[in-house]
Amino acid sequence: PAEPLFRSMTYDQVKQILGSEGRLSTQTEIMGIRSSLYTWMNSGGSNIVITFGSEGTVDSKTQFGLK
């Protein structure tokens, strides 16, 4: 992406930077704390996985094969 992804970003902000909808992989709620894990995958197999916390902002991210 042209811009870095920051912890304070919302799903809509991330979607705008990455240029597409993410695929919701997992959504959990434990003791009132919600977590949603989204995956964006390129045709070549590279991907980025972003977890959004209960405030709806980026909590963590991992990536594979991106340059």
Side-chain angles (χ1 to χ4, degrees), residues 6-7 9-15 34-38 40 49-60:
F6 295 106
R7 291 178 69 93
M9 289 185 161
T10 64
Y11 172 81
D12 286 336
Q13 291 170 315
V14 171
K15 180 177 71 170
R34 179 174 291 162
S35 178
S36 302
L37 187 131
Y38 285 86
W40 281 263
V49 178
I50 300 176
T51 303
F52 294 87
S54 54
E55 274 105 48
T57 56
V58 173
D59 190 41
S60 67

Side-chain angles (χ1 to χ4, degrees), residues 13-47:
Q13 291 170 315
V14 171
K15 180 177 71 170
Q16 185 174 17
I17 290 172
L18 296 179
S20 65
E21 295 277 344
R23 181 177 55 89
L24 179 61
S25 302
T26 307
Q27 192 168 48
T28 59
E29 186 169 343
I30 300 171
M31 297 178 63
I33 299 173
R34 179 174 291 162
S35 178
S36 302
L37 187 131
Y38 285 86
T39 302
W40 281 263
M41 187 168 296
N42 292 322
S43 59
S46 61
N47 65 66

